[in-house]
């Protein structure tokens, strides 16, 4: 069974589904590679208009990195290699010249929140919950998520999410400005399609031009360099006793 599924519809929507429900749709190297390949294709394919990210099932959007794989990273260099690989995929996602949507259909924690933050829009089912829980594991956001979050919400709201590590509801996320829309129905993909039909009224060329305005701002303010510095900070924390012990506790529970 494929760890991810890519579907294209007649409206030019590309649906990327992380297909690891038994792992709470955690990200491993295969998912990373598939995501990178698909983002590259969407950028180059003129028929692809919008990119939507979601997770299989109803339990989770994405639970972050797969610790059963990444627990073996024992040095700063090994940690940075993984963090920068995924971090630069998120940078590529954030700077995609076409609209991107994170369709939160369940739990989004840790790196799952970073993945959602890289998207232009975050739509959430009523039962979905999310939280930047990395601090409770003795590390910071490692894929550039804090840098991206500060581009999405005000500093005080970003600090609240990052410093507390609280897991909050979709409605609370909307109040903070992190979630743009809470979906009311049970069919989140259908609701997402309806949102897209109302939100993107202009031609693809006009939409792309507006996205370039944001991308130019990020180029001028060194978004990539700031994200890379964040990954360096996380790499140093990755090998601390606090983080290694937190990972051991999580793996014992599994």
């Amino acid at each position: 069974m494929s760890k991810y599924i890519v579907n294209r519809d007649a409206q030019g929507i590309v649906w990327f589904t992380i297909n690891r429900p038994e792992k709470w749709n955690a990200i491993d190297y295969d998912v990373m590679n598939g995501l990178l390949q698909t983002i590259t294709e969407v950028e180059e394919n003129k028929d692809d208009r919008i990119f939507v990210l979601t997770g299989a099932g109803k339990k989770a959007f994405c639970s972050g990195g797969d610790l059963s794989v990444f627990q073996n990273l024992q040095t700063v260099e090994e940690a940075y290699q993984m963090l920068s690989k995924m971090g630069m995929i998120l940078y590529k996602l954030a700077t995609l010249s076409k609209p991107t949507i994170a369709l939160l259909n369940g739990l989004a924690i840790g790196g799952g929140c970073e993945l959602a933050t890289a998207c232009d829009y975050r739509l959430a089912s009523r039962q979905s919950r999310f939280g930047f829980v990395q601090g409770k594991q003795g590390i910071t956001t490692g894929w550039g998520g804090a840098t991206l979050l500060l581009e999405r919400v005000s500093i005080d709201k970003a600090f609240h999410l990052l410093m507390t590590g609280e897991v909050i509801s979709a409605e609370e996320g909307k109040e903070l400005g992190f979630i743009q829309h809470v979906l009311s129905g049970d069919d989140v993909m259908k609701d997402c399609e309806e949102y897209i039909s109302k939100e993107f009224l202009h031609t693809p060329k006009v939409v792309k031009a507006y996205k370039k305005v944001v991308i130019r701002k990020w180029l001028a303010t060194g978004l990539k360099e700031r994200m890379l510095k964040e990954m360096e900070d996380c790499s140093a924390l990755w090998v601390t006793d606090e983080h290694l012990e937190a990972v051991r506790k999580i793996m014992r529970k599994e």
Side-chain angles (χ1 to χ4, degrees):
M1 185 173 66
S2 177
K3 295 179 181 179
Y4 60 89
I5 301 168
V6 181
N7 288 313
R8 286 173 165 83
D9 65 22
Q11 287 72 46
I13 304 172
V14 180
W15 304 85
F16 185 98
T17 304
I18 303 173
N19 190 35
R20 308 185 74 204
E22 76 289 352
K23 289 278 192 177
W24 294 81
N25 295 323
I27 293 173
D28 64 2
Y29 291 112
D30 292 331
V31 176
M32 284 186 193
N33 293 333
L35 187 55
L36 177 59
Q37 179 182 338
T38 307
I39 292 169
T40 302
E41 290 172 354
V42 171
E43 184 65 75
E44 296 173 352
N45 188 349
K46 62 180 178 60
D47 293 325
D48 293 340
R49 293 178 51 244
I50 296 166
F51 184 61
V52 180
L53 265 169
T54 193
K58 295 185 178 181
K59 288 185 177 181
F61 166 72
C62 176
S63 59
D66 188 344
L67 290 179
S68 67
V69 176
F70 300 147
Q71 66 173 325
N72 299 318
L73 305 176
Q74 298 294 319
T75 68
V76 172
E77 292 74 22
E78 288 174 345
Y80 183 77
Q81 186 175 20
M82 181 277 288
L83 295 173
S84 60
K85 177 180 173 68
M86 186 59 186
M88 286 300 94
I89 292 172
L90 292 198
Y91 177 78
K92 195 174 181 71
L93 175 61
T95 56
L96 188 66
S97 67
K98 299 169 186 180
T100 57
I101 296 173
L103 179 56
L104 306 180
N105 56 312
L107 188 67
I109 57 171
C113 269
E114 297 189 65
L115 180 61
T117 306
C119 293
D120 301 321
Y121 298 81
R122 282 153 296 285
L123 312 184
S125 65
R126 290 199 175 278
Q127 71 271 20
S128 63
R129 295 171 62 78
F130 73 94
F132 291 85
V133 300
Q134 291 92 330
K136 296 178 179 179
Q137 299 170 6
I139 56 172
T140 57
T141 46
W143 294 339
T147 301
L148 290 167
L149 183 62
L150 286 164
E151 299 292 330
R152 307 295 188 193
V153 301
S154 61
I155 292 175
D156 59 325
K157 292 174 181 176
F159 271 180
H160 173 73
L161 291 170
L162 296 168
M163 299 295 192
T164 65
E166 183 182 0
V167 178
I168 65 176
S169 68
E171 289 290 351
E172 290 172 304
K174 191 171 187 297
E175 290 176 12
L176 289 171
F178 184 72
I179 302 296
Q180 278 70 50
H181 184 65
V182 179
L183 305 170
S184 56
D186 293 328
D187 190 339
V188 293
M189 294 185 76
K190 181 181 178 182
D191 289 347
C192 180
E193 288 176 340
E194 290 180 0
Y195 181 87
I196 288 171
S197 68
K198 295 175 182 177
E199 186 73 13
F200 303 108
L201 300 175
H202 300 302
T203 65
K205 289 182 179 180
V206 171
V207 172
K208 190 172 184 177
Y210 279 134
K211 280 224 63 176
K212 284 182 178 179
V213 173
V214 179
I215 294 168
R216 282 195 293 268
K217 174 203 171 188
W218 286 343
L219 288 172
T221 59
L223 178 67
K224 179 190 284 188
E225 291 75 20
R226 288 184 282 133
M227 290 176 68
L228 287 168
K229 286 292 184 183
E230 185 180 338
M231 294 165 212
E232 288 179 11
D233 291 340
C234 185
S235 299
L237 293 170
W238 189 277
V239 297
T240 61
D241 291 339
E242 183 181 358
H243 175 61
L244 296 175
E245 179 56 30
V247 170
R248 283 191 286 269
K249 286 181 179 179
I250 292 170
M251 295 310 299
R252 284 198 292 268
K253 288 180 182 178
E254 288 189 353

